[in-house]
Amino acid sequence: MHASSLQRHNIVFLIVALTLIFSLSYFRYTGYRPETPPVNDFSLPTSTRPSTPHRYSSSSLPPPPKFEGNSSATPVCNKVDFDWLASDRLHWDGWTSKAMFMRPDGLYTSNDITITAGENICVVVVLGPIPAVSAIRPEIHFAPADSITIHAVGDMIKVPITLEQHERQGNIYYSSVHFTHADVYVLKSTTQYRSYFWETPIYHPYRPFGYTSHNSLVVNEVSGTIEKPPLPSCNGHISTGSWINKTEYQRLRPLDFYDMFGDAQEDHAADDLLFVPDQCRMDYISTSQAIQCLEGKTIHIWGDNNIKRNLKAFNTPSWCGSDSTDTRCICNDDFDDDNWGTDDINAPLMITDTWHNDIRVDFNPIGSITLRDLRETIRERASQLPRADLVMISVGNDDITLSRMTPIQFWHSFTDLMAFLVDEVYPEQTIIVRTPQYFSGGTVYGTSWNSGRSRAFATVVRQAVKQLQRPNILLWDIHRLGVEDNTCVGSGSAYTKRNVVNIENLLLWNLICSSS
């Protein structure tokens, strides 16, 4: 009996001790608050350089700068009482996720809102409590903690929206959205990952959940016949825009040359939708005009298969067209047997099917830039080629796919590589830098592709190009064109669909060629 009583006493003591240990560990763990970094595309804070697989010693770029404010915090969102939204339990139970249009005066309403085309509205998403606290290192992540995709969807128009996380209320995301075109919109949103789980998806299952706004936004056309001044040319620089039904756009702007297409293969519409920037005009530049613009130039391309698809569409506009017998190329052309642009074949691509037949393109596949030091490889290969007039860089896509490669590691590799290229290899040439591909709506088996990583790596490229402050370095921001409908996630590929490649090329021609 005495032994049994002693045994029970020891068991009780052990249980109490374990409970005390777990309690202390819990409070210490939850008391740890990792730095919540700003995620604005153009302003990022400093961070200690982590160890990376390689590092060039000649980097001339500083670390990411201190955060200077949120560009989305326009007056229309400044009117919103985010603290009240977070604490309100009359209209929100505090658990379910909710998307909403705020009134122009910043107040909440469950009723539909009516505005006139050309006005801004603050869009807000509130999320419930996080399912788990993650032990995230206090470093820059280049994207918000929660990966959310959201669109304002009308009958004829779809508006992609980029949300920013509120500085104090971490479960609230918001954005000021410009509505240029009349329609009746609802918000369709999907939360794909919480708590920076998007950064290392190998450790976290993909369990998205979608929700739609309870109120709608009615955007009416401007009354009267007010003559609008023509918008300035985008010159290849876009920030926000809408995808508009092509027939509706032709009705609204019957004299706009943007939607007057030549051959079918030059149709710059994706699933009968045109991308129309909000604050500028996308000029129509045909493939023939682009060839004339590049006449006599030698082009060096260092990149991945994503930019190779752009090059295929430029060289052969009918590639993977409507008459193609193999529709796999719409989302994946890796099986194509090209006689240029491979590791084994260094033959240049010559544009010879037109009067302007002296364009030489040297495509050099380089893949991931974070796993190996490419400095001497690029220097040696560039020295063997004719001097470049134009250089194009497309990296990041092969780094997003890597399971343990973080955006901050890519930042250091990319800034080092760009500093080397502009200082030692191409100090005088124009350099076009292509952002990584937009991705959303799922995952690709065996890779780490998801929407959060896609956004973070694209932000790295934007920020690095901005910090270089070189007039000869131009940003080809194809990530801005992204909507889930244009991705190939349903086909198990991280590419965009073939017809979107034409729109990406049109953006490039606007960047480097004159519409005249």
Side-chain angles (χ1 to χ4, degrees):
M1 293 290 292
H2 177 72
S4 177
S5 175
L6 181 61
Q7 185 178 13
R8 285 197 300 270
H9 177 76
N10 291 338
I11 292 175
V12 171
F13 178 77
L14 180 62
I15 292 174
V16 171
L18 289 174
T19 302
L20 181 61
I21 292 172
F22 287 143
S23 298
L24 291 174
S25 300
Y26 172 79
F27 287 116
R28 181 181 179 184
Y29 180 68
T30 55
Y32 167 69
R33 293 178 60 86
E35 174 191 355
T36 302
V39 295
N40 182 277
D41 289 345
F42 302 104
S43 301
L44 296 163
T46 57
S47 174
T48 303
R49 175 183 290 267
S51 59
T52 55
H54 77 270
R55 185 178 70 184
Y56 301 132
S57 60
S58 60
S59 175
S60 61
L61 286 177
K66 290 287 187 181
F67 182 53
E68 297 175 352
N70 194 326
S71 66
S72 295
T74 56
V76 68
C77 284
N78 286 339
K79 299 176 183 178
V80 177
D81 188 345
F82 292 106
D83 295 329
W84 176 85
L85 280 177
S87 61
D88 170 58
R89 292 299 176 267
L90 178 62
H91 305 287
W92 179 52
D93 60 11
W95 290 93
T96 57
S97 297
K98 188 174 183 179
M100 65 197 83
F101 295 102
M102 305 302 291
R103 289 181 5 183
D105 58 6
L107 298 180
Y108 168 82
T109 179
S110 59
N111 299 323
D112 294 345
I113 299 171
T114 301
I115 63 171
T116 303
E119 296 182 13
N120 285 28
I121 284 290
C122 192
V123 168
V124 175
V125 170
V126 291
L127 302 179
I130 58 177
V133 178
S134 57
I136 301 297
R137 296 187 304 273
E139 65 179 25
I140 308 169
H141 301 279
F142 291 91
D146 304 301
S147 177
I148 307 169
T149 57
I150 183 170
H151 302 84
V153 181
D155 294 330
M156 297 288 182
I157 300 167
K158 175 175 286 190
V159 183
I161 300 171
T162 301
L163 296 172
E164 302 292 347
Q165 188 175 22
H166 193 267
E167 293 180 0
R168 296 188 310 277
Q169 303 295 340
N171 65 322
I172 292 184
Y173 289 80
Y174 66 98
S175 180
S176 174
V177 184
H178 186 78
F179 288 90
T180 309
H181 308 282
D183 209 331
V184 180
Y185 299 89
V186 295
L187 295 172
K188 294 186 177 180
S189 182
T190 302
T191 300
Q192 305 196 26
Y193 286 98
R194 303 291 305 272
S195 305
Y196 295 111
F197 285 175
W198 55 264
E199 192 170 52
T200 53
I202 188 176
Y203 302 117
H204 310 287
Y206 177 67
R207 294 173 180 169
F209 56 94
Y211 41 98
T212 304
S213 59
H214 294 286
N215 60 347
S216 300
L217 178 68
V218 180
V219 180
N220 294 323
E221 294 185 5
V222 178
S223 60
T225 57
I226 301 175
E227 185 84 21
K228 289 185 178 181
L231 293 173
S233 175
C234 295
N235 293 322
H237 303 284
I238 57 174
S239 56
T240 60
S242 307
W243 289 88
I244 304 178
N245 177 271
K246 185 168 66 172
T247 302
E248 175 68 6
Y249 186 80
Q250 291 170 335
R251 183 189 70 82
L252 293 173
R253 302 182 183 179
L255 300 180
D256 196 325
F257 193 63
Y258 176 42
D259 67 328
M260 297 181 183
F261 310 110
D263 298 333
Q265 62 266 23
E266 293 196 37
D267 190 338
H268 297 102
D271 298 327
D272 285 329
L273 295 176
L274 287 168
F275 180 79
V276 180
D278 286 335
Q279 308 294 348
C280 58
R281 181 187 74 256
M282 184 93 85
D283 292 319
Y284 173 74
I285 300 176
S286 67
T287 300
S288 297
Q289 289 173 306
I291 291 175
Q292 185 175 0
C293 163
L294 297 173
E295 180 182 7
K297 287 183 170 54
T298 296
I299 305 172
H300 291 184
I301 298 180
W302 303 92
D304 45 39
N305 285 339
N306 297 73
I307 196 172
K308 189 174 182 180
R309 285 168 65 85
N310 295 108
L311 189 54
K312 284 183 181 180
F314 174 47
N315 179 51
T316 310
S318 60
W319 165 67
C320 198
S322 57
D323 57 346
S324 177
T325 57
D326 192 344
T327 58
R328 291 182 298 169
C329 57
I330 294 175
C331 279
N332 190 351
D333 59 302
D334 292 346
F335 55 86
D336 283 359
D337 185 18
D338 302 311
N339 60 355
W340 53 270
T342 66
D343 292 321
D344 301 325
I345 302 174
N346 291 326
L349 172 64
M350 306 297 297
I351 307 297
T352 58
D353 57 351
T354 175
W355 294 342
H356 313 281
N357 58 1
D358 52 353
I359 302 174
R360 173 183 172 129
V361 181
D362 290 285
F363 179 83
N364 304 278
I366 56 175
S368 168
I369 65 169
T370 55
L371 294 180
R372 58 195 178 112
D373 186 341
L374 295 167
R375 178 174 51 180
E376 292 305 321
T377 300
I378 293 177
R379 190 202 307 272
E380 180 180 358
R381 174 62 178 153
S383 66
Q384 298 169 355
L385 301 174
R387 185 184 186 278
D389 302 295
L390 180 66
V391 181
M392 297 185 187
I393 309 295
S394 175
V395 294
N397 295 298
D398 290 333
D399 297 286
I400 294 175
T401 190
L402 301 176
S403 60
R404 291 179 176 83
M405 196 58 60
T406 64
I408 191 65
Q409 290 173 303
F410 178 67
W411 161 267
H412 294 304
S413 296
F414 180 70
T415 52
D416 284 339
L417 177 61
M418 287 302 300
F420 166 72
L421 290 175
V422 299
D423 290 339
E424 301 189 32
V425 184
Y426 302 111
E428 300 176 355
Q429 289 88 341
T430 297
I431 301 178
I432 309 294
V433 183
R434 185 186 190 273
T435 59
Q437 208 71 49
Y438 177 87
F439 185 85
S440 180
T443 60
V444 177
Y445 179 76
T447 76
S448 288
W449 274 99
N450 60 53
S451 61
R453 286 176 64 84
S454 172
R455 172 177 174 176
F457 280 64
T459 299
V460 166
V461 172
R462 293 183 187 122
Q463 178 64 21
V465 170
K466 184 176 185 294
Q467 283 202 173
L468 280 166
Q469 297 182 344
R470 302 285 187 95
N472 62 318
I473 300 180
L474 304 177
L475 180 67
W476 181 13
D477 199 344
I478 56 92
H479 194 274
R480 299 287 189 194
L481 300 173
V483 288
E484 184 177 328
D485 297 341
N486 293 341
T487 66
C488 287
V489 62
S491 301
S493 167
Y495 294 132
T496 54
K497 295 177 181 177
R498 165 63 182 92
N499 49 9
V500 183
V501 176
N502 283 346
I503 307 174
E504 295 173 353
N505 282 355
L506 180 62
L507 184 62
L508 176 63
W509 310 146
N510 273 256
L511 187 65
I512 61 178
C513 302
S514 170
S515 59
S516 59

